[in-house]
Amino acid sequence: MHLKYESQLREPLVTGNKDYHQVTEDICRPIEAKPTKLWYVGFFIAVCLLMFGVYSVYREVTYGIGQWNLNKTVGWGWDITNFVWWVGIGHAGTLISAILLLFRQGWRTGVNRAAEAMTIFAVMCAGQFPIFHMGRVWMAFFVLPYPNTRGPLWTNFNSPLLWDVFAISTYFTVSLLFWYSGLIPDFATVRDRAKTKLRKLLYGVASFGWTGSTKHWQRHESLSLVLAGLSTPLVLSVHTIVSFDFATSVIPGWHTTIFPPYFVAGAVFSGFAMVQTLMLMLRKIFVLEDYITLGHIEAMNKVIVLTGSIVGCAYLTELFMGWYSQNKYEGYTFWYSRANLFSPYGWSYWGMMACNVISPQIFWSKKMRRNLFVTFFMSIIVNIGMWFERFVIIVTSLYRDYLPSSWSVYYSPSTWEMGFYAGTFGLFFTCFFLFAKYFPVIAIAEIKYVLKTTGDNYKAEVTKEETMEVDEFVHEYAH
């Protein structure tokens, strides 16, 4: 019997009467088999999007920022909208891997590996937008504070844009370490099963000589806890610092203290929605329904309805403060530029409200939380809504400034702005397809760790033991 007891009221997190060998076989099968036609089609589409994105960036770098439809009032448009959106997408991976590890939540084991990979790929996409928004991208190294010969020209440590550089680079580094350290035991499993010398060599190098000894496991557990401890404040700090890009300004609609918690809740909200989108595709394509169960999906939908409600509360608080402050500029931004359906961008505000506040309330129903089609559809709706949120915050605060002469300008993105955004999707899914083919998409070692407490066959055995009379139990296990 396993030492850790779990209530029999909790549903199994591993179904199908699995044993340790079957777990290894099921998760390694996609790595060892040839790629399917569906994989090739998806990979080809992702690479095409990536190439279009590369060409869009080439246009912007060669001909200048004028290739985008930014203007004298809307200086931030799709570029910073997409930057904030991608950073938000990357938040759920660290929350699942770090905070849920510290709280010993068993349901994280089925989804943490792919969620951590999603974090890394999303941050890679996000980082490109501020860099290319500089225009003269070859000057990007100016943001790094290093001894130089430029005299008094130094980085401005009072600027939250510089804080972003440190926050996001730290977040990327720690997330990468966390993800890779978890992969090491699984790389060793794939290495030991490899049939060709090349595979054995590559996975052997990747696994750093892992042998599975007690000392290796002890160090692995210690490292995981240390990285979880480092990652936990990062979950809160990274999007807080991103929110400071807006909150430390004096522009109506941005100058508000509610932004840090509001941005963090929104990031977790959109991140979990993207995890749902990817997990539902993975479990279907790779036949992993026994490891990514309805229990996992329901738990994530509970987080979505919670964070969606927090975000909705923040929206209403903003509207209330726009009225209560009696500041005519704040009031104009919130009540005319945003909440007025007939204003130039009113459609985007009400689209945001519908997607982020109203639609997630469907998950108060257990039947809906466990419905795969509803979950997949809602995960896409939520991320559309969260993109609208970032667009509303940026554009509706900028497009009408203090000079009515500039009000006639209506911002809409150019082909190359949209191409850049599409290209980041190409990069994201190119990386994710390669990850899904060559790396274990579920943590084999972690599934085996929880198997004896959350596997359905083991839970059935414990249920039988719980219903035994005392004398019968003693007779059964005394010897």
Side-chain angles (χ1 to χ4, degrees):
M1 288 177 64
H2 200 274
L3 292 175
K4 181 174 177 275
Y5 172 77
E6 182 173 286
S7 168
Q8 299 312 297
L9 296 175
R10 291 183 181 272
E11 63 181 300
L13 294 177
V14 183
T15 59
N17 295 320
K18 304 294 184 186
D19 57 25
Y20 290 141
H21 176 67
Q22 287 172 305
V23 169
T24 306
E25 289 290 329
D26 290 346
I27 298 174
C28 288
R29 189 191 312 115
I31 302 172
E32 295 167 346
K34 288 185 177 180
T36 61
K37 286 183 180 178
L38 193 62
W39 187 90
Y40 279 117
V41 169
F43 186 69
F44 176 75
I45 293 169
V47 171
C48 288
L49 278 175
L50 176 59
M51 291 299 102
F52 181 50
V54 168
Y55 180 70
S56 299
V57 170
Y58 159 77
R59 294 275 307 198
E60 185 267 330
V61 171
T62 305
Y63 299 108
I65 214 80
Q67 291 291 294
W68 296 351
N69 280 350
L70 303 178
N71 53 59
K72 61 184 177 181
T73 49
V74 183
W76 287 358
W78 264 49
D79 45 349
I80 305 300
T81 299
N82 298 332
F83 160 68
V84 180
W85 187 78
W86 275 118
V87 172
I89 292 292
H91 254 57
T94 312
L95 185 137
I96 289 171
S97 53
I99 295 178
L100 298 185
L101 172 66
L102 295 177
F103 283 100
R104 302 296 186 192
Q105 294 296 301
W107 64 267
R108 63 179 281 283
T109 53
V111 298
N112 67 322
R113 174 66 52 72
E116 290 166 23
M118 182 195 80
T119 291
I120 292 159
F121 305 149
V123 174
M124 285 165 55
C125 294
Q128 296 175 54
F129 287 99
I131 291 172
F132 287 106
H133 182 260
M134 292 176 183
R136 295 184 176 90
V137 68
W138 49 91
M139 298 292 189
F141 66 90
F142 273 37
V143 302
L144 301 175
Y146 65 93
N148 60 75
T149 57
R150 296 193 291 268
L153 188 61
W154 195 250
T155 51
N156 180 9
F157 285 99
N158 292 324
S159 170
L161 300 178
L162 182 65
W163 308 343
D164 265 348
V165 173
F166 293 111
I168 290 171
S169 57
T170 304
Y171 185 57
F172 178 77
T173 305
V174 173
S175 298
L176 185 65
L177 287 172
F178 206 165
W179 177 65
Y180 196 87
S181 64
L183 276 164
I184 289 172
D186 293 355
F187 278 151
T189 300
V190 179
R191 173 201 65 197
D192 295 341
R193 294 167 55 89
K195 299 288 195 297
T196 65
K197 287 185 177 179
L198 180 62
R199 284 177 73 92
K200 191 176 282 290
L201 173 66
L202 293 175
Y203 284 108
V205 171
S207 63
F208 292 148
W210 177 274
T211 62
S213 67
T214 306
K215 179 59 75 175
H216 282 187
W217 277 113
Q218 183 262 328
R219 287 174 176 161
H220 182 266
E221 294 270 331
S222 300
L223 177 63
S224 296
L225 283 174
V226 168
L227 289 174
L230 287 173
S231 301
T232 299
L234 284 176
V235 172
L236 303 174
S237 67
V238 171
H239 227 59
T240 297
I241 290 172
V242 170
S243 78
F244 287 168
D245 294 350
F246 308 99
T248 55
S249 73
V250 292
I251 293 175
W254 291 2
H255 187 61
T256 169
T257 53
I258 200 176
F259 266 21
Y262 158 26
F263 267 55
V264 170
V268 174
F269 183 49
S270 60
F272 267 88
M274 184 62 97
V275 172
Q276 291 281 47
T277 305
L278 297 174
M279 285 292 118
L280 289 169
M281 290 192 291
L282 279 178
R283 79 192 290 272
K284 185 67 177 175
I285 294 168
F286 290 147
V287 196
L288 296 171
E289 288 90 346
D290 291 334
Y291 303 98
I292 306 168
T293 66
L294 289 176
H296 292 94
I297 291 161
E298 184 182 7
M300 288 192 283
N301 282 336
K302 288 177 180 177
V303 177
I304 286 173
V305 75
L306 170 67
T307 49
S309 300
I310 294 170
V311 167
C313 182
Y315 294 161
L316 296 177
T317 304
E318 282 188 318
L319 283 176
F320 172 74
M321 292 309 296
W323 164 78
Y324 185 70
S325 67
Q326 292 297 295
N327 181 312
K328 59 184 177 182
Y329 302 111
E330 290 283 339
Y332 181 87
T333 299
F334 285 109
W335 287 99
Y336 178 79
S337 293
R338 296 183 186 178
N340 179 5
L341 181 59
F342 301 103
S343 68
Y345 290 105
W347 57 270
S348 61
Y349 182 82
W350 288 105
M352 171 193 82
M353 291 293 275
C355 293
N356 291 351
V357 182
I358 299 168
S359 60
Q361 304 310 316
I362 195 173
F363 287 140
W364 287 104
S365 162
K366 182 170 184 173
K367 186 177 179 181
M368 293 295 103
R369 289 198 301 268
R370 299 176 73 86
N371 184 305
L372 297 180
F373 175 77
V374 170
T375 298
F376 186 74
F377 179 74
M378 283 304 307
S379 68
I380 294 170
I381 290 294
V382 164
N383 266 318
I384 292 171
M386 288 307 295
W387 187 91
F388 271 126
E389 181 204 285
R390 278 59 183 254
F391 181 80
V392 164
I393 288 171
I394 291 169
V395 175
T396 63
S397 294
L398 294 176
Y399 83 108
R400 288 194 171 173
D401 59 8
Y402 297 102
L403 291 175
S405 60
S406 63
W407 285 12
S408 62
V409 179
Y410 184 87
Y411 169 75
S412 57
S414 70
T415 303
W416 311 120
E417 280 177 278
M418 293 188 283
F420 189 7
Y421 185 42
T424 56
F425 272 103
L427 174 63
F428 181 86
F429 282 105
T430 298
C431 293
F432 201 83
F433 274 112
L434 291 171
F435 159 75
K437 178 64 192 79
Y438 296 107
F439 292 23
V441 294
I442 293 177
I444 302 171
E446 296 203 30
I447 288 288
K448 289 179 178 179
Y449 179 75
V450 300
L451 184 64
K452 287 208 171 183
T453 52
T454 60
D456 54 359
N457 48 345
Y458 294 101
K459 287 181 84 78
E461 183 183 329
V462 173
T463 302
K464 183 188 76 173
E465 291 162 358
E466 282 189 340
T467 56
M468 284 181 180
E469 296 293 333
V470 174
D471 294 341
E472 185 184 359
F473 183 87
V474 170
H475 182 265
E476 182 78 21
Y477 294 103
H479 307 294

